Amino acid sequence: FGSHNLRSLAYAVVTAREAGIPDHGYELQMLYGMAPAVHAAVRRLGFRLRVYAPVGELVPGMAYLVRRLLENTSNESFVRRRFKEGAELEALLAPPRADPLPELDPPSRPEATDPAAAGEYQHEPVAEWRRAGVRSAFGAAVERVKLGLDVAAFIDGHPVGTKTSIVSVDPGDTAREVAVSASCARAEADAAIEVAQRAWPAWSRTPVPDRAAVLFRAAEWMRARKADLAALQVFEAGKPWKEADADVCEAIDFCEYYGRQALRLGAGAVESPPGETDRLSYRGRGIAAVIAPWNFPLAIPTGMVVAALVAGNAVLFKPAEQTPAVASGLVSALKAAGLPDGVLAFLPGVGEEVGSYLVEHPDVSVIAFTGSKAVGLGIVEAAGVHRSGQRHVKRVIAEMGGKNAIVVDADADLDQAVPAIVNSAFGYAGQKCSACSRLILVDSVADELLRRLVGATRSLRVGHPREMGTQVGPLIDADAHKRVLSYVELADDEGTVFFHDDDVPSSGFYVGPTIVTDVSSRSRLATEEIFGPVLTVLRASTFEEALALANDTDYALTAGVLSRSPARIEQAAAELRAGNVYVNRTITGAVVGRQPFGGYGLSGVGTKAGGPDYLLQFVDPRVVTENTLRQGFAPGE
Ligand code: NAD
């Protein structure tokens, strides 16, 4: 037992004795020069003591010694309290009080119906899993999730059945059906467009504070059902608890943030000289089609839908085929928040059918899409064609994929680097557009980092996300499973499979974390988006070469650098070609209003989600200039 803590040592000794282990059957270990009085005391009691000294590099060694020193000089220390404060032995020997963490009151928020009092935007706090109450509440929500749901389309506020349907299954246990959803075709799309045409003018004239209030009420609705909304994602999207909770928080954030942004839009943007009034205002563009992915099944659709709505558009929302039940939660939230019926249609269906029909429809003027590069580029192309009866140029906001790199500098703090890389590469099984899929190591640090990285990756728990301890869940569907496995096979041809966990459950679409080395920078593994837990490692002889490798991609979504050199951090921040650059941390987990998110290059077109410019993409700006000089007004109206 290695400890300088007397209470821990006493506990270990008693436990060993209770287990029938003789006192000479183990040894105690203490550091040379640390707490010699304790060394003497345990020797006097007849225990075997090994006194050791750490051997190795100076910097990690210093960190190690400082940690030990802090432990042994703590104000709570047994020794200090006895000898400095004269505490009674009785009190010191009493079992420690298990102080349960107090339950926290949720932060008070202003009444959602009063946008004027909305106050500053506050990020929705993620669950604090260290609190027992939070864990058991979430566990209960996971246990009570209702599956076998029926998800209808919604047009003009009414559920609509369709001829065909889509089944969503639990990707972690494919025998379990989560929902059967409607599958809309042209007929439903046409009906929804007709309703939207009628509903849009009144909605676009609705005062902005009233539109914003709908978003604030929707946020409140989601907040009150946070655990249930997240628990459904555990089954329909295969999200581990932490990721599912974060997704719902982000959805709430989008409502709170865009509601406030709408209230500020354009305020004070133009000046009026004497004798003239100039007013800049923004009007919704008309009908927006929102086409969403499954990987942030509530947050991403919420962001796109509520931005379009609060900017004064009617919305046709097509969720991903894999997650219709989660997406329908957004429709319920907005309905409960009092959104007028015709303003939002919910059109689950097949992307290539109803999705592309919406894209091409002459009455749709904005398309907000998040998904793959191939589909995004197809949408940009289709939207560029002018069709008969179309009185606008379609605007496309397309957030697409990435092939994101983390660069590890020679002097990086590996204690910090390893968890940052593991979380970025394998969180949600690598199914985040922001995930790290290329790791670029400066040669001198490569071997040591890889050794530690493999250890940390091996310890990840792969399994069904209904278990709280699961860190890596399944891939979303059979196609993804097949595709990612094909890259794992390819890794043998293109490089070396340095680590692959094949001890995964067979009940679902699981692929274990995989690390591939010795690949060329132009190989498929190093250039194609895999969207799974496969990390490709490249080496560089200098930091400059590492940055050049990181930038050698068509995408420009996220990138990271791990370094302790201020000059090289500055260089990387300036030179890494990515919409979001992260320094000495994970490259995933952008927060609305703090890290506006989105890429350029072939990662996307349009400005950043969760940022101050986002709403401008959904509006037409108008300026009204009035001559107020020598103006006699006519009496009457
Ligand atoms: P996907 O492109 O296959 O599907 C996205 C949506 O497009 C779905 O609703 C789908 O039904 C629809 N669709 C498919 N074909 C269509 C067509 N021809 N016309 C219109 N709509 C069509 O993507 P996915 O598998 O759902 O999501 C994963 C991809 O999304 C990854 O490439 C990932 O990087 C990307 N992504 C990007 C961001 C970002 O912010 N940049 C965020 C999340 C996901």
Side-chain angles (χ1 to χ4, degrees), residues 291-292 294-295 318 321 351 369-372 375 400-401 433 529 531:
I291 301 179
W294 48 265
N295 66 335
K318 195 213 85 66
E321 290 87 328
F369 165 82
T370 305
S372 61
V375 174
M400 305 185 286
C433 51
E529 187 184 43
F531 227 56

Side-chain angles (χ1 to χ4, degrees), residues 144-190:
R144 70 169 174 259
V145 163
K146 267 210 246 87
L147 301 177
L149 299 165
D150 263 327
V151 178
F154 258 87
I155 299 172
D156 209 6
H158 304 296
V160 173
T162 53
K163 285 197 196 112
T164 54
S165 55
I166 296 177
V167 178
S168 74
V169 297
D170 174 355
D173 184 355
T174 49
R176 189 183 288 132
E177 198 172 285
V178 176
V180 177
S181 100
S183 180
C184 295
R186 288 177 176 215
E188 289 79 25
D190 283 334

Side-chain angles (χ1 to χ4, degrees), residues 373 402-403 438 494 520-530 536 552-555:
K373 179 181 83 177
K403 186 71 187 170
R438 291 181 302 145
E494 288 196 337
S520 108
S521 64
R522 291 281 90 212
S523 63
R524 287 184 55 205
L525 275 159
T527 52
E528 296 176 8
E529 187 184 43
I530 300 174
T536 300
D552 185 15
T553 166
D554 296 341
Y555 294 104

